[in-house]
């Protein structure tokens, strides 16, 4: 019972005429809480102890090391069975049959027959071995005793003591007795220690192979992070890929699918293995399950690359070490080696590293270039690093249009002959005229090459960064021809297309950098004209096909699977100018990033090699001429005039505008207008009626457009 509390209360206001009264009140204490049963408290303690992390870890360690012994025993038993029987040959035979490789199957069957014949021969020898052993023992013992007695006789003759005749025989008997005593001493402890040594050996085998259930393994092994890639892991990942034909074929293979794999080789920050798929399984079925394959290999999707090598029915897997692709690569040799030079014809630009960790070097000789990708993923930096390397060859000329206009190419002031920077329509017009000047220069070189096939020209690199701005520009010229677009009248498109078609032969090259390729901002004829096509991260597979072509994507190129923001500067490149494994049509390159300050230092080295280049920041056209109207003017009243005479008259009309004109320029204007020159009496002539009609048609079209 609880204690009783007594309270005293005094009435402070008694009734009139009475004395104050003190009252006593007894208040019992509240009952104490019921005690917790012992079994409940014990259960809580047990549960707390069982779920304690240290207890779980200790229990798991005990179970793991115990199971290592059982697992090691199983491994040793399988090895012993394989060594004593033809099981290994039978597995390889079934695997070859399942893979449809019957020549290899016949070879394994022949090896199995040879093994069985040799085993039969050994067993027959064992039947006769006891008799042979007995005969050998009798003969050997007799010969041994005879040798010992002969040795004793020699000793007795030498020492003059007859007793020495049996001395060697006594020594041999004593030695045998000593061995018996040693065995008697060691035998007891050996019987005691031997089983423990055997268990230790089995434990060593099991621990090396991690032969325990997954729940008993250490935490880092259970998670799979950083788990090394082994043949069994690759085969299991393929088996669980969700392709029924592949799963069934692996089950039918005696070696559980190991024969499908080439040796696993270290390749940079990962490993590489070729997988020969069984009959009935297509390579596209594996490619389409890249994410699931990566997860089966305990990797992220971006850490597994699937390509198609030259061998038929084969996929090549490159599997990165866990987290390796998130580590940056080293600085560019352009930054670290101030003595580095460039050679346009024979050199290769140090662009970065491939996934194998090898240097990725790109030949730029007579190759148009296209780099595309999403915004802010390293497109300008990748394009600029190539230009910086090539600038170290003083013979190379640059015409450069930067339609972003934030100073990314400012260091080329003093290197480039033309440098236009800005995003407006006026800048697009300037860049378009620069591209058209490149066409004129290309045509001039072609004319020189016709008269002098041995003529050489300095390389001219025309770079347009953010080219999608030009393709999407709505501006039109005085003749209603659009600067943007992808029609036959679109000025920028036609200039780029003409350079792509013929510029390579006379070293006039077009390099374009664009964002998010579509048919509108990157026309098909332009992207198909590039010899080197590279893509950063993109949004869809269709964009990847636009950027790199169907062949590269079908063979495994997947820039749309790169990670936005995390794979900056990582390019998928399709080009014959970069070394890649035989049979591959693309390669993934992690490019060196060159920041603005190091880029300016490299540009200063390039400027020091040149003789003070004066950079133009605008294209000065002077007086705008109408070539078709001028042609009509110089034809006068002549029905037809020889083309060379027309050019002479145009020069006389305006030397600044037409002094550099050739037959190609004249033909281009007339062809575009529908007044093509033709042959008359073996000479090319221009017809006045055709020119007049073309001029009238054009003016009529302009009037109709204005009325609308």
């Amino acid at each position: 019972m609880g204690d009783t509390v007594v309270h005293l209360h005094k009435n402070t206001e008694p009734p009139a005429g009475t004395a104050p009264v003190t009252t006593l009140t007894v208040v019992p204490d509240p009952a104490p809480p019921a005690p917790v049963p012992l079994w409940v408290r014990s259960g809580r303690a047990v549960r707390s102890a069982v779920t304690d992390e240290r207890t779980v870890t200790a229990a798991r360690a005990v179970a793991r090391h115990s199971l290592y012994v059982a697992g090691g025993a199983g491994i040793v038993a399988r090895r012993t069975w394989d060594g004593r029987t033809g099981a290994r040959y039978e597995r390889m035979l079934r695997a070859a049959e399942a893979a449809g490789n019957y020549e290899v199957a016949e070879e394994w069957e022949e090896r199995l027959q040879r093994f069985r014949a040799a085993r039969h021969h050994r067993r027959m020898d064992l039947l006769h071995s006891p008799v042979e052993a007995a005969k050998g023992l009798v003969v050997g013992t007799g010969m041994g005793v005879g040798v010992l007695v002969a040795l004793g006789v020699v000793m007795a003759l030498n020492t003059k003591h007859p007793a020495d005749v049996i001395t060697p025989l006594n020594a041999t008997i004593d030695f045998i007795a000593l061995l018996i005593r040693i065995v008697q001493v060691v035998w007891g402890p050996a019987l005691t220690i031997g089983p423990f040594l055997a268990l230790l050996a089995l434990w060593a085998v099991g621990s090396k192979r991690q032969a325990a259930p997954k729940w008993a393994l250490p935490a880092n092994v259970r998670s799979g992070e950083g788990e090394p890639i082994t043949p069994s892991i690759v085969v299991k990942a393929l088996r669980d890929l969700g392709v029924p034909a592949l799963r069934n074929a692996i089950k039918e293979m005696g070696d559980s699918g190991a024969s499908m794999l080439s040796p696993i080789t270290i390749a940079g920050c990962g490993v590489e293995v070729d997988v020969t798929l069984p009959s009935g399984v297509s390579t596209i079925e594996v490619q389409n399950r890249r994410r699931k394959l990566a997860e089966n290999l305990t990797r992220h999707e971006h850490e597994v690359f699937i390509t198609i090598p030259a061998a038929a029915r084969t996929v090549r897997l490159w599997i990165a070490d866990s987290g390796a692709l998130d580590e940056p690569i080293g600085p560019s040799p352009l930054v670290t080696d101030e003595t580095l030079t460039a050679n346009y014809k024979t050199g290769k630009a140090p662009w970065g590293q491939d996934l194998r960790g090898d240097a990725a070097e790109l030949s730029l000789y007579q190759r148009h270039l296209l780099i595309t990708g999403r915004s802010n993923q390293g497109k300008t930096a990748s394009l600029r690093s190539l230009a910086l390397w090539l600038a170290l060859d003083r013979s190379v000329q640059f015409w450069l249009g930067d339609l972003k206009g934030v100073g990314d190419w400012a260091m080329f002031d003093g290197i480039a002959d033309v440098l236009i920077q800005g995003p407006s329509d006026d800048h697009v017009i300037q860049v378009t005229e620069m591209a058209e000047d490149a066409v004129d220069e290309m045509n001039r070189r072609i004319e020189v090459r016709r008269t002098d096939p041995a003529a050489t020209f300095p390389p001219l690199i025309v770079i347009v960064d953010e080219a999608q701005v030009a393709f999407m520009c709505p501006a039109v010229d005085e003749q209603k021809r659009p600067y943007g677009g992808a029609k036959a009248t679109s000025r920028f498109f036609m200039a780029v297309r003409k350079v792509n078609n013929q510029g390579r032969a006379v070293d006039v090259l077009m390099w374009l950098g664009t964002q998010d390729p579509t048919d509108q901002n990157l026309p098909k004829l332009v992207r198909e004209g590039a010899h080197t096509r590279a893509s950063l991260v993109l949004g869809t597979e269709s964009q990847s096909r636009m950027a790199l072509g169907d062949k590269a994507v079908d063979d495994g190129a997947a820039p749309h699977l790169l990670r936005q923001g995390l794979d900056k500067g990582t390019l998928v490149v399709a080009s014959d100018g970069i070394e890649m494994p035989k049979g591959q049509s693309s390669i993934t390159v992690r490019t060196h990033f060159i920041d603005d300050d190091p880029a300016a230092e490299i540009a200063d080295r390039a400027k020091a090699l040149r003789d003070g280049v004066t950079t133009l920041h605008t294209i000065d056209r002077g007086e705008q001429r109408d070539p078709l109207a001028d042609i009509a003017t110089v034809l006068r009243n002549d029905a037809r005039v020889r083309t060379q005479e027309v050019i002479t008259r145009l020069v006389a009309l305006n030397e600044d505008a037409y002094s550099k004109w050739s037959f190609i320029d004249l033909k281009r204007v007339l062809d575009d207008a529908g007044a093509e020159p033709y042959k008359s009496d073996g000479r090319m002539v221009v017809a006045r009626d055709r020119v007049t009609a073309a001029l009238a048609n054009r003016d009529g079209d302009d009037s109709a457009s204005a009325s609308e």
Side-chain angles (χ1 to χ4, degrees), residues 516-527:
D516 275 345
T518 65
D519 286 329
Q520 289 72 39
N521 64 24
L522 186 58
K524 178 179 176 63
L525 292 178
V526 171
R527 61 182 186 250

PDB file of all heavy atoms in Angstrom, residues 516-527:
ATOM      1  N   ASP A 516      21.069  21.389 -81.085  1.00  0.00           N
ATOM      2  CA  ASP A 516      19.850  20.596 -81.262  1.00  0.00           C
ATOM      3  C   ASP A 516      19.450  20.440 -82.727  1.00  0.00           C
ATOM      4  O   ASP A 516      18.553  21.122 -83.216  1.00  0.00           O
ATOM      5  CB  ASP A 516      18.695  21.242 -80.493  1.00  0.00           C
ATOM      6  CG  ASP A 516      18.692  20.809 -79.037  1.00  0.00           C
ATOM      7  OD1 ASP A 516      19.378  19.833 -78.708  1.00  0.00           O
ATOM      8  OD2 ASP A 516      18.019  21.463 -78.228  1.00  0.00           O
ATOM      9  N   PRO A 517      20.087  19.540 -83.468  1.00  0.00           N
ATOM     10  CA  PRO A 517      19.835  19.460 -84.911  1.00  0.00           C
ATOM     11  C   PRO A 517      18.395  19.072 -85.246  1.00  0.00           C
ATOM     12  O   PRO A 517      17.817  18.168 -84.638  1.00  0.00           O
ATOM     13  CB  PRO A 517      20.814  18.366 -85.360  1.00  0.00           C
ATOM     14  CG  PRO A 517      21.049  17.535 -84.145  1.00  0.00           C
ATOM     15  CD  PRO A 517      20.995  18.491 -82.992  1.00  0.00           C
ATOM     16  N   THR A 518      17.834  19.786 -86.206  1.00  0.00           N
ATOM     17  CA  THR A 518      16.549  19.438 -86.817  1.00  0.00           C
ATOM     18  C   THR A 518      16.695  19.668 -88.315  1.00  0.00           C
ATOM     19  O   THR A 518      17.696  20.240 -88.782  1.00  0.00           O
ATOM     20  CB  THR A 518      15.401  20.302 -86.270  1.00  0.00           C
ATOM     21  OG1 THR A 518      15.625  21.672 -86.665  1.00  0.00           O
ATOM     22  CG2 THR A 518      15.307  20.226 -84.760  1.00  0.00           C
ATOM     23  N   ASP A 519      15.704  19.258 -89.075  1.00  0.00           N
ATOM     24  CA  ASP A 519      15.752  19.488 -90.517  1.00  0.00           C
ATOM     25  C   ASP A 519      15.677  20.974 -90.851  1.00  0.00           C
ATOM     26  O   ASP A 519      16.075  21.388 -91.936  1.00  0.00           O
ATOM     27  CB  ASP A 519      14.603  18.751 -91.212  1.00  0.00           C
ATOM     28  CG  ASP A 519      14.849  17.258 -91.281  1.00  0.00           C
ATOM     29  OD1 ASP A 519      16.026  16.857 -91.365  1.00  0.00           O
ATOM     30  OD2 ASP A 519      13.875  16.489 -91.232  1.00  0.00           O
ATOM     31  N   GLN A 520      15.160  21.771 -89.916  1.00  0.00           N
ATOM     32  CA  GLN A 520      15.046  23.206 -90.181  1.00  0.00           C
ATOM     33  C   GLN A 520      16.350  23.945 -89.882  1.00  0.00           C
ATOM     34  O   GLN A 520      16.799  24.773 -90.676  1.00  0.00           O
ATOM     35  CB  GLN A 520      13.910  23.809 -89.329  1.00  0.00           C
ATOM     36  CG  GLN A 520      12.517  23.406 -89.771  1.00  0.00           C
ATOM     37  CD  GLN A 520      12.202  21.960 -89.448  1.00  0.00           C
ATOM     38  OE1 GLN A 520      12.583  21.454 -88.378  1.00  0.00           O
ATOM     39  NE2 GLN A 520      11.520  21.276 -90.357  1.00  0.00           N
ATOM     40  N   ASN A 521      16.983  23.648 -88.731  1.00  0.00           N
ATOM     41  CA  ASN A 521      18.194  24.404 -88.384  1.00  0.00           C
ATOM     42  C   ASN A 521      19.484  23.703 -88.803  1.00  0.00           C
ATOM     43  O   ASN A 521      20.571  24.246 -88.595  1.00  0.00           O
ATOM     44  CB  ASN A 521      18.234  24.720 -86.886  1.00  0.00           C
ATOM     45  CG  ASN A 521      18.336  23.481 -86.017  1.00  0.00           C
ATOM     46  OD1 ASN A 521      18.812  22.429 -86.443  1.00  0.00           O
ATOM     47  ND2 ASN A 521      17.884  23.589 -84.770  1.00  0.00           N
ATOM     48  N   LEU A 522      19.370  22.501 -89.380  1.00  0.00           N
ATOM     49  CA  LEU A 522      20.547  21.816 -89.904  1.00  0.00           C
ATOM     50  C   LEU A 522      20.100  20.921 -91.063  1.00  0.00           C
ATOM     51  O   LEU A 522      19.816  19.734 -90.873  1.00  0.00           O
ATOM     52  CB  LEU A 522      21.232  20.988 -88.814  1.00  0.00           C
ATOM     53  CG  LEU A 522      22.563  20.335 -89.208  1.00  0.00           C
ATOM     54  CD1 LEU A 522      23.573  21.377 -89.653  1.00  0.00           C
ATOM     55  CD2 LEU A 522      23.123  19.503 -88.066  1.00  0.00           C
ATOM     56  N   PRO A 523      19.995  21.474 -92.281  1.00  0.00           N
ATOM     57  CA  PRO A 523      19.466  20.719 -93.424  1.00  0.00           C
ATOM     58  C   PRO A 523      20.273  19.455 -93.707  1.00  0.00           C
ATOM     59  O   PRO A 523      21.475  19.385 -93.447  1.00  0.00           O
ATOM     60  CB  PRO A 523      19.562  21.720 -94.577  1.00  0.00           C
ATOM     61  CG  PRO A 523      19.582  23.060 -93.929  1.00  0.00           C
ATOM     62  CD  PRO A 523      20.293  22.868 -92.625  1.00  0.00           C
ATOM     63  N   LYS A 524      19.593  18.478 -94.255  1.00  0.00           N
ATOM     64  CA  LYS A 524      20.187  17.173 -94.515  1.00  0.00           C
ATOM     65  C   LYS A 524      21.411  17.273 -95.421  1.00  0.00           C
ATOM     66  O   LYS A 524      22.440  16.642 -95.172  1.00  0.00           O
ATOM     67  CB  LYS A 524      19.137  16.252 -95.140  1.00  0.00           C
ATOM     68  CG  LYS A 524      19.658  14.860 -95.511  1.00  0.00           C
ATOM     69  CD  LYS A 524      18.560  14.007 -96.093  1.00  0.00           C
ATOM     70  CE  LYS A 524      19.082  12.647 -96.553  1.00  0.00           C
ATOM     71  NZ  LYS A 524      19.614  11.851 -95.454  1.00  0.00           N
ATOM     72  N   LEU A 525      21.322  18.067 -96.494  1.00  0.00           N
ATOM     73  CA  LEU A 525      22.438  18.150 -97.435  1.00  0.00           C
ATOM     74  C   LEU A 525      23.679  18.753 -96.786  1.00  0.00           C
ATOM     75  O   LEU A 525      24.800  18.437 -97.189  1.00  0.00           O
ATOM     76  CB  LEU A 525      22.031  18.977 -98.659  1.00  0.00           C
ATOM     77  CG  LEU A 525      20.971  18.342 -99.571  1.00  0.00           C
ATOM     78  CD1 LEU A 525      20.618  19.292-100.709  1.00  0.00           C
ATOM     79  CD2 LEU A 525      21.475  17.013-100.127  1.00  0.00           C
ATOM     80  N   VAL A 526      23.481  19.606 -95.781  1.00  0.00           N
ATOM     81  CA  VAL A 526      24.624  20.203 -95.086  1.00  0.00           C
ATOM     82  C   VAL A 526      25.265  19.185 -94.153  1.00  0.00           C
ATOM     83  O   VAL A 526      26.484  18.987 -94.162  1.00  0.00           O
ATOM     84  CB  VAL A 526      24.186  21.461 -94.312  1.00  0.00           C
ATOM     85  CG1 VAL A 526      25.311  21.951 -93.404  1.00  0.00           C
ATOM     86  CG2 VAL A 526      23.775  22.555 -95.280  1.00  0.00           C
ATOM     87  N   ARG A 527      24.464  18.520 -93.332  1.00  0.00           N
ATOM     88  CA  ARG A 527      25.040  17.572 -92.366  1.00  0.00           C
ATOM     89  C   ARG A 527      25.628  16.349 -93.055  1.00  0.00           C
ATOM     90  O   ARG A 527      26.605  15.772 -92.585  1.00  0.00           O
ATOM     91  CB  ARG A 527      24.005  17.180 -91.325  1.00  0.00           C
ATOM     92  CG  ARG A 527      22.760  16.501 -91.842  1.00  0.00           C
ATOM     93  CD  ARG A 527      21.780  16.217 -90.708  1.00  0.00           C
ATOM     94  NE  ARG A 527      20.636  15.437 -91.123  1.00  0.00           N
ATOM     95  CZ  ARG A 527      19.403  15.897 -91.223  1.00  0.00           C
ATOM     96  NH1 ARG A 527      19.161  17.175 -90.945  1.00  0.00           N
ATOM     97  NH2 ARG A 527      18.418  15.104 -91.589  1.00  0.00           N
TER      98      ARG A 527
END
